[in-house]
Coordinates of all heavy atoms in Angstrom, one line a residue:
G140 N 74.1 86.2 79.6 CA 72.7 86.4 79.2 C 72.5 85.9 77.7 O 71.5 85.2 77.4
L141 N 73.5 86.2 76.9 CA 73.4 85.8 75.5 C 73.6 84.3 75.4 O 73.0 83.6 74.5 CB 74.4 86.5 74.6 CG 74.1 88.0 74.4 CD1 75.3 88.7 73.7 CD2 72.8 88.2 73.7
Q142 N 74.4 83.7 76.2 CA 74.6 82.2 76.2 C 73.2 81.5 76.6 O 72.9 80.5 76.0 CB 75.7 81.8 77.2 CG 77.1 81.9 76.6 CD 78.1 81.2 77.4 OE1 78.0 81.2 78.6 NE2 79.1 80.6 76.7
Q143 N 72.5 82.1 77.5 CA 71.2 81.6 77.9 C 70.2 81.6 76.7 O 69.3 80.8 76.6 CB 70.6 82.4 79.1 CG 71.4 82.1 80.4 CD 71.3 80.7 80.8 OE1 70.3 80.0 80.8 NE2 72.4 80.1 81.3
L144 N 70.4 82.6 75.8 CA 69.6 82.7 74.7 C 70.0 81.8 73.5 O 69.4 81.7 72.5 CB 69.5 84.1 74.2 CG 68.9 85.2 75.1 CD1 69.1 86.6 74.5 CD2 67.4 84.8 75.4
G145 N 71.1 81.0 73.8 CA 71.6 80.1 72.8 C 72.5 80.7 71.7 O 72.7 80.1 70.7
I146 N 73.0 81.8 72.0 CA 73.9 82.5 71.0 C 75.4 82.1 71.3 O 75.9 82.3 72.4 CB 73.8 84.0 71.1 CG1 72.3 84.4 70.8 CG2 74.7 84.7 70.2 CD1 72.1 85.9 71.0
D147 N 76.0 81.5 70.3 CA 77.4 81.1 70.4 C 78.3 82.3 70.2 O 78.4 82.8 69.0 CB 77.7 80.0 69.4 CG 79.1 79.5 69.5 OD1 79.8 79.8 70.5 OD2 79.6 78.8 68.6
L148 N 79.0 82.7 71.2 CA 79.9 83.9 71.1 C 81.3 83.5 70.6 O 82.2 84.3 70.4 CB 80.0 84.6 72.4 CG 78.7 85.2 72.9 CD1 78.8 85.8 74.3 CD2 78.1 86.2 72.0
S149 N 81.5 82.2 70.5 CA 82.9 81.7 70.1 C 82.9 81.3 68.6 O 83.8 80.6 68.2 CB 83.3 80.5 70.9 OG 83.3 80.9 72.3
W150 N 81.9 81.8 67.9 CA 81.8 81.4 66.5 C 83.0 81.8 65.6 O 83.5 81.0 64.8 CB 80.5 82.0 65.8 CG 80.5 83.5 65.7 CD1 80.1 84.3 66.7 CD2 81.0 84.3 64.6 NE1 80.3 85.6 66.3 CE2 80.8 85.6 65.0 CE3 81.5 84.0 63.4 CZ2 81.2 86.7 64.2 CZ3 81.8 85.0 62.5 CH2 81.7 86.4 63.0
S151 N 83.6 83.0 65.9 CA 84.7 83.4 65.1 C 86.0 82.6 65.4 O 86.8 82.4 64.5 CB 85.0 84.9 65.4 OG 85.3 85.1 66.8
I152 N 86.1 82.2 66.7 CA 87.3 81.3 67.1 C 87.2 80.0 66.4 O 88.2 79.4 65.9 CB 87.3 81.2 68.6 CG1 87.6 82.5 69.2 CG2 88.4 80.2 69.0 CD1 87.6 82.5 70.8
A153 N 86.0 79.4 66.3 CA 85.8 78.2 65.6 C 86.1 78.3 64.2 O 86.7 77.4 63.6 CB 84.3 77.7 65.8
L154 N 85.7 79.4 63.5 CA 86.0 79.6 62.1 C 87.5 79.8 61.9 O 88.1 79.2 60.9 CB 85.3 80.8 61.6 CG 83.8 80.7 61.3 CD1 83.2 82.0 60.8 CD2 83.6 79.6 60.2
A155 N 88.2 80.5 62.8 CA 89.6 80.7 62.7 C 90.3 79.4 62.8 O 91.3 79.1 62.1 CB 90.1 81.6 63.8
K156 N 89.9 78.5 63.8 CA 90.6 77.2 63.9 C 90.3 76.3 62.7 O 91.2 75.5 62.3 CB 90.0 76.5 65.1 CG 90.5 77.1 66.5 CD 89.9 76.3 67.6 CE 90.4 76.9 68.9 NZ 89.8 76.2 70.1
K157 N 89.2 76.6 62.0 CA 88.9 75.8 60.8 C 89.7 76.2 59.6 O 90.2 75.3 58.9 CB 87.4 75.9 60.5 CG 87.0 75.1 59.2 CD 85.5 75.3 59.0 CE 85.1 74.5 57.7 NZ 83.6 74.7 57.4
W158 N 89.9 77.5 59.4 CA 90.5 78.0 58.2 C 92.0 78.4 58.4 O 92.7 78.6 57.4 CB 89.7 79.2 57.7 CG 88.3 78.8 57.2 CD1 87.2 79.1 57.9 CD2 88.0 78.0 56.1 NE1 86.1 78.6 57.2 CE2 86.6 77.9 56.1 CE3 88.7 77.4 55.1 CZ2 85.9 77.2 55.1 CZ3 88.0 76.7 54.1 CH2 86.6 76.6 54.1
C159 N 92.4 78.6 59.6 CA 93.8 79.1 59.8 C 94.8 77.9 59.4 O 94.6 76.8 59.9 CB 94.1 79.5 61.2 SG 95.7 80.3 61.5
S160 N 95.8 78.2 58.7 CA 96.8 77.2 58.2 C 97.7 76.8 59.3 O 98.3 75.7 59.3 CB 97.6 77.7 57.0 OG 98.3 78.9 57.3
R161 N 97.9 77.7 60.3 CA 98.8 77.3 61.4 C 98.0 77.5 62.8 O 97.7 78.6 63.2 CB 100.0 78.3 61.4 CG 100.8 78.1 60.1 CD 102.0 79.1 60.1 NE 103.0 78.8 61.2 CZ 104.1 79.5 61.3 NH1 104.4 80.4 60.4 NH2 104.9 79.2 62.3
A162 N 97.8 76.4 63.4 CA 97.0 76.3 64.6 C 97.6 77.1 65.7 O 96.9 77.7 66.6 CB 96.8 74.9 65.0
E163 N 99.0 77.2 65.8 CA 99.6 77.9 66.9 C 99.4 79.4 66.9 O 99.6 80.1 67.8 CB 101.1 77.7 66.8 CG 101.9 78.2 65.6 CD 101.9 77.2 64.5 OE1 101.1 76.3 64.5 OE2 102.8 77.4 63.6
W164 N 98.8 80.0 65.7 CA 98.5 81.4 65.7 C 97.2 81.7 66.5 O 97.0 82.9 66.8 CB 98.3 81.8 64.2 CG 99.6 81.9 63.5 CD1 100.8 81.8 63.9 CD2 99.7 82.2 62.1 NE1 101.8 82.0 62.9 CE2 101.1 82.2 61.8 CE3 98.8 82.4 61.0 CZ2 101.6 82.5 60.5 CZ3 99.3 82.6 59.8 CH2 100.7 82.7 59.5
I165 N 96.4 80.7 66.8 CA 95.2 80.9 67.5 C 95.5 80.6 69.0 O 95.5 79.5 69.5 CB 94.1 80.0 67.0 CG1 93.9 80.3 65.5 CG2 92.8 80.3 67.8 CD1 93.0 79.3 64.9
R166 N 95.8 81.7 69.8 CA 96.3 81.5 71.1 C 95.2 82.0 72.1 O 94.3 82.8 71.7 CB 97.6 82.3 71.4 CG 98.7 82.0 70.4 CD 100.0 82.7 70.8 NE 99.7 84.1 71.0 CZ 99.8 85.0 70.0 NH1 100.1 84.6 68.7 NH2 99.6 86.3 70.2
L167 N 95.3 81.6 73.4 CA 94.3 82.0 74.4 C 94.4 83.5 74.6 O 93.4 84.1 75.0 CB 94.6 81.2 75.7 CG 93.5 81.2 76.7 CD1 92.2 80.7 76.1 CD2 93.9 80.3 77.9
D168 N 95.6 84.1 74.5 CA 95.7 85.5 74.8 C 95.1 86.4 73.7 O 95.1 87.6 73.8 CB 97.1 85.9 75.0 CG 98.0 85.7 73.8 OD1 97.6 85.2 72.8 OD2 99.2 86.1 73.9
T169 N 94.6 85.8 72.6 CA 93.9 86.5 71.6 C 92.4 86.4 71.7 O 91.6 86.9 70.9 CB 94.3 86.1 70.1 OG1 94.0 84.7 70.0 CG2 95.8 86.2 70.0
A170 N 91.9 85.6 72.7 CA 90.5 85.4 72.9 C 89.8 86.7 73.4 O 90.5 87.5 74.1 CB 90.2 84.2 73.8
P171 N 88.5 86.9 73.2 CA 87.9 88.1 73.7 C 88.0 88.3 75.2 O 88.2 89.5 75.7 CB 86.4 87.9 73.3 CG 86.5 87.0 72.1 CD 87.6 86.1 72.4
F172 N 87.9 87.3 76.0 CA 88.0 87.4 77.4 C 89.4 87.9 77.9 O 89.6 88.5 78.9 CB 87.6 86.1 78.2 CG 87.4 86.3 79.6 CD1 86.3 87.1 80.1 CD2 88.2 85.8 80.6 CE1 86.1 87.3 81.4 CE2 88.0 86.0 81.9 CZ 87.0 86.7 82.4
S173 N 90.4 87.5 77.1 CA 91.8 88.0 77.4 C 91.9 89.5 77.2 O 92.5 90.2 78.0 CB 92.8 87.3 76.4 OG 92.9 85.9 76.7
S174 N 91.2 90.0 76.2 CA 91.2 91.5 76.0 C 90.5 92.1 77.2 O 91.0 93.2 77.7 CB 90.4 91.8 74.7 OG 91.1 91.3 73.6
L175 N 89.5 91.5 77.7 CA 88.7 92.1 78.8 C 89.6 92.1 80.1 O 89.7 93.1 80.8 CB 87.5 91.3 79.1 CG 86.5 91.8 80.2 CD1 86.1 93.2 79.9 CD2 85.4 90.8 80.4
T176 N 90.3 91.0 80.4 CA 91.1 91.0 81.6 C 92.3 91.9 81.4 O 92.7 92.5 82.4 CB 91.6 89.5 81.8 OG1 92.2 89.0 80.6 CG2 90.5 88.6 82.2
R177 N 92.8 92.1 80.2 CA 93.9 93.0 80.0 C 93.5 94.5 80.3 O 94.2 95.2 81.0 CB 94.4 92.9 78.5 CG 95.4 93.9 78.2 CD 96.0 93.7 76.8 NE 95.0 93.6 75.7 CZ 95.0 92.7 74.7 NH1 95.9 91.8 74.7 NH2 94.0 92.8 73.8

Side-chain angles (χ1 to χ4, degrees):
L141 291 174
Q142 278 193 324
Q143 290 296 318
L144 295 175
I146 298 175
D147 180 15
L148 299 176
S149 301
W150 65 274
S151 59
I152 297 177
L154 283 178
K156 289 180 178 179
K157 179 180 179 181
W158 295 106
C159 187
S160 60
R161 298 180 63 177
E163 64 270 20
W164 286 354
I165 305 170
R166 305 185 309 273
L167 195 57
D168 63 356
T169 62
F172 193 66
S173 295
S174 300
L175 181 61
T176 53
R177 173 172 60 221

